[in-house]
């Protein structure tokens, strides 16, 4: 489909009334302070691109890519403009005119082949374990990496050796009476960087009467591709995942990753696959998709164990943009935390403000990302909590890095990990 004909561009671009509401909530505008970095500046730029006033050059791409895709602007916009979708469509259009070999390699080849992704993460693990990463830093070799990667490679800390998939079965029977058959969309980042989250997800779901099936041939949800102008690849990945999951008879399709659940949502399926032959299949797939915390509270109504001896812990919660802004899910993760014995939930200021990670933004715009991150860590630290809970592997990685840069000692944890631990502790105490 031509850029000019894409629904977000065609229908939305004229609706901007220049009220500036989007500007007041934009994390990148807050650190850059220049109108070209403001959401309405992006809308204006996309308009000029559409009308041929500016050309699709790498410079225009760079301007538009200084955006976290956090969707705060789209939520705030009184005209209902999906500003982030306009931006994504424009990035894709510009990218098609200016393809790059490194992006093809990363987003078309490596990220679409789970085996290759796993191998590259193994290399990272090896470099960290053998001290090669540190040596590379001290010899200045990491400075040879492209873009902001020389600074940002530190964010990728403590890579585990075993991905979740190597430790989990494809079919995990329900414990006790079976209530639902659930397809678990195990995203790349949870699988490779946070296997403890995947194991906790399967543990909690099976304990609560779900048979959990993890389809072997799942591929990336496509969100990194959308953010990097690779819309066509994102479409192919979405169509692949739709076909795989539709070949099972699932009651629900659940994921513990906020980015994945937003990428698999009806809205995003419409954005990627609307109007194509696969549209109906994509919509029936998306109807079953639900974020894990919403599923645990709204569908299963999970009841954690009663444990009056549970250790008291103060936990603050960071809203992932792809959960709070993209899907309006704010209450369920908090309610889940409140139900866990021993947990005291303390709210941080600006909990719903981006942490600056946003998948690949911290790797491509390191300095801005760190300014946004420092504000987040300051707000979290002021709560006096010992843990930050969040539901997104990208936020987890970014927050861990933020804490490591500060003088604060805090764990970053997915609520489902706390819940799984709570079940196991209660069992050990014979509760
Ligand atoms: S998506 Fe977020 S970072 Fe991007 S323009 Fe909107 S508010 Fe700013
Ligand atoms: S909030 Fe919406 S209408 Fe207002 S300036 Fe931003 S894009 Fe335009």
């Amino acid at each position: 489909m031509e850029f000019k004909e894409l629904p977000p561009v065609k229908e939305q671009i004229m609706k901007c009334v220049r009220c500036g509401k989007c500007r007041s909530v934009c994390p990148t505008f807050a650190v850059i302070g220049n109108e070209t970095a403001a959401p309405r500046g992006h809308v204006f730029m996309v308009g000029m691109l559409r009308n041929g006033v500016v050309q699709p050059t790498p410079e225009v791409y760079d301007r538009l890519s200084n955006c976290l895709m956090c969707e705060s602007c789209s939520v705030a916009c009184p005209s209902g403009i999906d500003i982030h979708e306009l931006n994504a469509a424009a990035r894709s259009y510009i990218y098609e005119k200016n393809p790059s070999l490194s992006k093809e390699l990363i987003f078309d080849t490596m990220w679409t082949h789970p085996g290759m992704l796993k191998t590259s993460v193994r290399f990272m693990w090896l470099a960290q374990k053998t001290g090669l990463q540190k040596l590379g830093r001290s010899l200045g070799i990491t400075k040879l990496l492209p873009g902001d990667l020389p600074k940002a490679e530190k964010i990728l800390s403590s890579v585990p050796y075993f991905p979740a998939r190597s430790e989990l079965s494809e079919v995990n029977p329900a414990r006790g009476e079976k209530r639902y058959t659930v397809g678990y969309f195990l995203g790349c980042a949870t699988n490779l960087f946070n296997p403890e989250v995947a194991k906790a997800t399967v543990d909690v779901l099976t304990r609560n009467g779900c048979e959990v099936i993890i389809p072997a041939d799942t591929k990336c949800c496509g969100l990194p591709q959308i953010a990097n102008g690779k819309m066509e690849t994102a479409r192919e990945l979405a169509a692949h995942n739709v076909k795989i999951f539709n070949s099972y008879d699932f009651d629900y399709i659940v994921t513990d990753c906020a980015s994945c659940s937003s990428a698999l949502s009806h809205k995003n399926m419409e954005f990627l696959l609307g109007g194509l032959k696969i549209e109906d299949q994509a919509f029936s797939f998306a109807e079953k998709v639900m974020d894990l915390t919403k599923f645990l509270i709204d569908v299963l109504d999970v009841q954690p164990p009663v444990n009056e001896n549970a250790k008291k812990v103060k936990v603050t919660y960071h809203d992932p943009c792809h959960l709070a802004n993209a899907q309006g899910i704010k209450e369920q993760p908090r309610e889940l935390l409140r139900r866990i014995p021993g947990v005291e939930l303390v709210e941080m200021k600006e909990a719903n403000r981006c942490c600056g990670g946003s998948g690949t933004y911290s790797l491509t715009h390191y300095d801005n990302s760190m300014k946004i991150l420092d504000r987040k860590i300051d707000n979290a630290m002021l709560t006096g909590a010992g843990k930050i809970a969040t539901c997104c592997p990208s936020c987890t990685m970014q927050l861990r890095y933020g804490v490591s840069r500060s003088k604060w000692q805090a764990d970053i944890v997915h609520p489902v990990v706390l819940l799984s631990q709570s079940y196991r502790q209660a069992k050990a105490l014979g509760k």
Side-chain angles (χ1 to χ4, degrees):
M1 204 182 290
E2 271 297 306
F3 173 62
K4 290 181 185 187
E5 301 307 321
L6 273 172
V9 180
K10 201 172 152 209
E11 291 164 13
Q12 297 190 42
I13 208 144
M14 304 308 290
K15 293 198 286 185
C16 178
V17 294
R18 325 260 330 136
C19 68
K21 289 223 164 79
C22 53
R23 222 172 74 148
S24 64
V25 296
C26 175
T28 49
F29 178 73
V31 296
I32 299 170
N34 182 320
E35 182 66 22
T36 58
R40 70 178 181 189
H42 293 169
V43 174
F44 192 52
M45 180 64 82
V46 177
M48 291 200 292
L49 200 58
R50 181 183 186 272
N51 297 333
V53 179
V54 296
Q55 295 310 305
T57 60
E59 291 71 33
V60 177
Y61 186 98
D62 284 348
R63 270 197 189 181
L64 292 171
S65 71
N66 210 339
C67 157
L68 296 145
M69 295 283 181
C70 71
E71 306 190 24
S72 303
C73 50
S74 305
V75 172
C77 175
S79 301
I81 305 176
D82 284 319
I83 304 163
H84 65 288
E85 285 189 359
L86 279 178
N87 190 323
R91 286 188 206 184
S92 174
Y93 169 64
I94 301 171
Y95 179 80
E96 277 168 25
K97 311 277 175 203
N98 306 274
S100 106
L101 185 61
S102 59
K103 278 199 177 179
E104 306 279 312
L105 278 173
I106 295 171
F107 296 106
D108 289 348
T109 308
M110 194 181 81
W111 224 311
T112 58
H113 293 87
M116 275 192 209
L117 204 53
K118 186 172 130 188
T119 306
S120 51
V121 172
R122 280 273 158 87
F123 276 121
M124 274 184 226
W125 176 88
L126 195 68
Q128 287 174 351
K129 285 291 160 203
T130 56
L132 273 178
Q133 191 182 31
K134 272 192 189 150
L135 184 68
R137 267 179 217 157
S138 57
L139 293 177
I141 295 170
T142 53
K143 289 193 185 131
L144 301 176
L145 292 167
D148 275 355
L149 276 177
K151 298 183 221 166
E153 51 89 24
K154 294 183 217 121
I155 299 171
L156 298 163
S157 60
S158 299
V159 176
Y161 183 78
F162 289 111
R165 272 188 191 277
S166 66
E167 299 189 54
L168 288 168
S169 307
E170 195 172 336
V171 179
N172 302 271
R175 287 183 255 179
E177 196 184 331
K178 182 175 153 184
R179 295 165 72 190
Y180 299 109
T181 304
V182 170
Y184 173 27
F185 188 93
L186 174 51
C188 324
T190 302
N191 179 40
L192 296 168
F193 297 116
N194 298 306
E196 76 287 356
V197 176
K199 286 188 262 181
T201 295
V202 173
D203 177 48
V204 166
L205 289 173
T206 53
R207 276 179 198 274
N208 284 279
C210 297
E211 179 187 29
V212 180
I213 295 174
I214 314 172
D217 197 18
T218 311
K219 289 192 176 178
C220 176
C221 67
L223 214 58
Q225 285 76 10
I226 293 175
N228 286 281
K230 304 288 307 171
M231 195 83 83
E232 207 38 56
T233 312
R235 252 182 218 118
E236 283 164 19
L237 288 167
H240 171 87
N241 288 324
V242 164
K243 282 183 193 147
I244 294 291
F245 278 78
N246 281 359
S247 68
Y248 294 82
D249 188 17
F250 292 134
D251 298 311
Y252 289 93
I253 296 165
V254 168
T255 178
D256 44 38
C257 169
S259 299
C260 293
S261 56
S262 97
L264 307 177
S265 66
H266 187 282
K267 190 163 186 295
N268 201 51
M269 284 296 142
E270 198 169 10
F271 179 57
L272 287 178
L273 302 176
L276 303 180
K277 226 164 98 186
I278 197 171
E279 182 186 79
D280 288 348
Q281 286 178 59
F283 290 170
S284 62
F285 160 84
E287 252 169 44
K288 295 182 180 180
V289 171
M290 201 177 280
D291 179 78
L292 176 68
T293 57
K294 185 172 165 61
F295 183 65
L296 292 176
I297 296 296
D298 293 358
V299 179
L300 294 181
D301 189 19
V302 283
Q303 300 301 323
V306 177
N307 182 2
E308 57 283 355
N309 299 323
K311 209 171 143 202
K312 303 273 178 268
V313 58
K314 261 192 194 179
V315 180
T316 189
Y317 179 70
H318 160 68
D319 285 290
C321 303
H322 285 125
L323 210 54
N325 295 336
Q327 303 179 74
I329 300 175
K330 297 180 192 169
E331 181 48 29
Q332 291 88 342
R334 289 177 167 82
E335 176 57 19
L336 192 59
L337 288 167
R338 280 188 217 107
R339 289 188 188 185
I340 300 171
V343 168
E344 181 195 348
L345 177 64
V346 281
E347 287 292 341
M348 70 171 90
K349 202 174 132 200
E350 300 178 338
N352 188 13
R353 194 177 182 90
C354 184
C355 63
S358 185
T360 49
Y361 184 85
S362 56
L363 306 179
T364 53
H365 297 80
Y366 180 83
D367 293 335
N368 286 340
S369 169
M370 290 306 112
K371 286 181 193 154
I372 298 166
L373 174 61
D374 289 344
R375 179 166 168 168
K376 171 61 64 178
I377 296 297
D378 287 348
N379 284 331
M381 199 165 19
L382 281 173
T383 63
K387 293 182 193 296
I388 309 177
T390 194
C391 304
C392 170
S394 166
C395 301
T396 299
M397 199 179 284
Q398 175 87 341
L399 294 171
R400 278 194 183 133
Y401 184 57
V403 167
S404 77
R405 281 158 47 95
S406 74
K407 294 196 177 100
W408 183 34
Q409 304 257 317
D411 296 332
I412 318 300
V413 66
H414 193 295
V416 78
V417 171
L418 293 177
L419 179 56
S420 172
Q421 283 169 355
S422 154
Y423 281 123
R424 280 183 278 123
Q425 279 159 9
K427 195 172 173 212
L429 293 169
K431 302 255 174 192

